[in-house]
Amino acid sequence: MNAISNRRVKRLILTGVAGLSALALAGCASGGGGGGGEAGGPLVLYTWAASEGDQAQWADFIDGAKAEDPDLDISVEGPSFSDYWTKVKTRLSGANPPCLLTTQAARAQELGDLLMPLDDLIEKSGFDIDNIDDSMLSGMTVDGTIRAIPYDAEPIVLFYNVEAFQAAGLELPGATYTRDQFISDAKALTDGDKKGLALAPGVFIPNAWSLADGVPAVTEDGKLELENPEFVEQIQSFFDLVAVDGVAKAPEAADGSEVSQQAFTSGEVPMLIEGPWMYGSFADAADFTLGVSIVPSTSGEAAAMTAGSGFGIAANCERPEEAFAAIEALTSLSVQEKQAEARGIVPARIEALPAWAEGKTEGSAQVVEALLSNATPQRTTPTWNQVETLMTQYGVQGYQGELTAEEIMKTITNSVGG
């Protein structure tokens, strides 16, 4: 499982399985009655639905949507998250294909041909997109048309141990944080083998580091630009946190994200870059006060890489208006507020953000709001899994100073075909 899917699995907090019967999972995969095209039958949502955590989340979404529209009839089917991106293509070509699909902004370009443009349905229904996070809408846009309505918008953040900062006499970072100050703080928090920052292998976090300075790995039109000199410079500065600054240990290629997460929550390492969806899990596991800041930027100003998912309509759906009405209910304010409160996702609806702020330490919501005001969605290419695998493999040598970022980015680009 790649780094992105690892994070997706971890964010799905199991809140109980009482609502699972609402999903009507049994038998759906065979394409039995009521799929996406049959009038009067349930709308089928095809998504990542293999685990109990996935199933509980979709049950919550559907229960919330039914409160908005009691006549709504949705069943759910689908494989694991990691299998979804290949199996969805096969499922849509089979009998009685589903109408509703999920996608991540990072993968919308990859699924673009499978997703119906929604602009006409948005206009016809009067759906207000002005209150939806701009970065996620941008990420869900393919060839100039919106292909999915996002339900979350997760800006990558820097988590830190408040007590460790206070014990070192350091000012607590918040909605502004320069890289110079961050490195200075990390050095003050480093003592021999005890480092200031925990790192995971892969490209996800280095990409967030680069986008904090406004430099993407993938352009808005879906072009992979790993050899862009500005991106290379950003990745080199991230490698240098280990090889030059000495404020982090090089991750092992075999490490999952849980290794760095456990180092942080145990108090061994006082800083970690991760998604805000981890807040609840970290707060439960740690015996220290959890601080939230921006991923440091050269200027110190907030700029984020956002990750998020949403609901779209299959291009071959024969009930598009009914399907879009379901999406309106699934992404309504009340549903997003419930998801933010119960599961800790950062909602894509701006007006639902106060629900995420509940129970968080002071200043956390202000950091998230600042990041979302200047955010860029994580974009990927169809070769991104290969990029992730190769960055995991060669990145260790980059952190250790054995290979430069330029050499590694060139090797990856040559391997995946640009």
Side-chain angles (χ1 to χ4, degrees), residues 191-205:
D191 183 10
D193 288 338
K194 184 177 181 180
K195 303 298 184 180
L197 176 71
L199 296 177
V203 73
F204 184 74
I205 298 303

Side-chain angles (χ1 to χ4, degrees), residues 2-4 6-7 198-206 238 249-260 388-389 391-396 399:
N2 63 40
I4 297 174
N6 262 337
R7 289 176 170 85
L199 296 177
V203 73
F204 184 74
I205 298 303
F238 198 73
K249 293 179 182 177
E252 298 291 335
D255 288 350
S257 58
E258 66 275 2
V259 174
S260 58
E388 178 71 37
T389 298
M391 183 65 170
T392 298
Q393 176 184 347
Y394 292 110
V396 175
Y399 291 116

Side-chain angles (χ1 to χ4, degrees), residues 30-248:
S30 65
E38 202 172 290
L43 287 166
V44 173
L45 169 64
Y46 192 80
T47 183
W48 40 89
S51 74
E52 287 185 337
D54 294 334
Q55 294 163 17
Q57 182 185 45
W58 302 130
D60 283 350
F61 264 104
I62 292 169
D63 286 347
K66 284 184 174 180
E68 295 287 316
D69 179 3
D71 295 328
L72 196 63
D73 190 6
I74 299 176
S75 64
V76 177
E77 63 169 274
S80 68
F81 179 87
S82 57
D83 288 339
Y84 174 78
W85 307 100
T86 53
K87 290 189 175 181
V88 64
K89 300 170 187 178
T90 303
R91 180 66 184 88
L92 284 176
S93 64
N96 198 19
C99 257
L100 295 170
L101 306 176
T102 50
T103 186
Q104 291 185 320
R107 310 291 287 262
Q109 297 289 332
E110 182 180 344
L111 298 188
D113 291 342
L114 306 181
L115 293 164
M116 180 181 295
L118 301 180
D119 299 70
D120 288 346
L121 290 165
I122 290 170
E123 183 176 1
K124 185 175 182 179
S125 67
F127 183 78
D128 182 12
I129 62 171
D130 291 338
N131 195 47
I132 304 294
D133 177 73
D134 286 340
S135 69
M136 282 297 95
L137 280 175
S138 173
M140 300 294 189
T141 297
V142 180
D143 295 334
T145 58
I146 297 172
R147 303 302 174 97
I149 302 299
Y151 59 77
D152 68 339
E154 313 275 5
I156 308 307
V157 300
L158 175 75
F159 288 102
Y160 64 90
N161 181 328
V162 170
E163 283 80 9
F165 268 71
Q166 291 172 334
L170 303 174
E171 183 178 346
L172 300 181
T176 60
Y177 202 21
T178 67
R179 288 195 178 165
D180 286 345
Q181 186 61 55
F182 162 74
I183 292 171
S184 175
D185 291 344
K187 287 181 176 179
L189 293 163
T190 295
D191 183 10
D193 288 338
K194 184 177 181 180
K195 303 298 184 180
L197 176 71
L199 296 177
V203 73
F204 184 74
I205 298 303
N207 195 20
W209 174 270
S210 185
L211 276 171
D213 262 7
V215 182
V218 178
T219 63
E220 192 169 338
D221 60 0
K223 181 181 178 183
L224 189 66
E225 287 205 331
L226 300 182
E227 291 189 273
N228 171 10
E230 291 184 349
F231 184 74
V232 169
E233 182 180 2
Q234 290 289 328
I235 299 303
Q236 187 63 59
S237 71
F238 198 73
F239 286 158
D240 287 349
L241 295 174
V242 176
V244 176
D245 302 311
V247 299

Side-chain angles (χ1 to χ4, degrees), residues 1-21:
M1 186 176 291
N2 63 40
I4 297 174
S5 58
N6 262 337
R7 289 176 170 85
R8 163 60 68 177
V9 169
K10 286 181 177 293
R11 68 192 285 187
L12 295 174
I13 305 167
L14 185 59
T15 59
V17 295
L20 296 187
S21 61

Side-chain angles (χ1 to χ4, degrees), residues 276-288:
W277 56 81
M278 294 303 301
Y279 189 103
S281 297
F282 288 170
D284 289 342
D287 61 1
F288 54 82

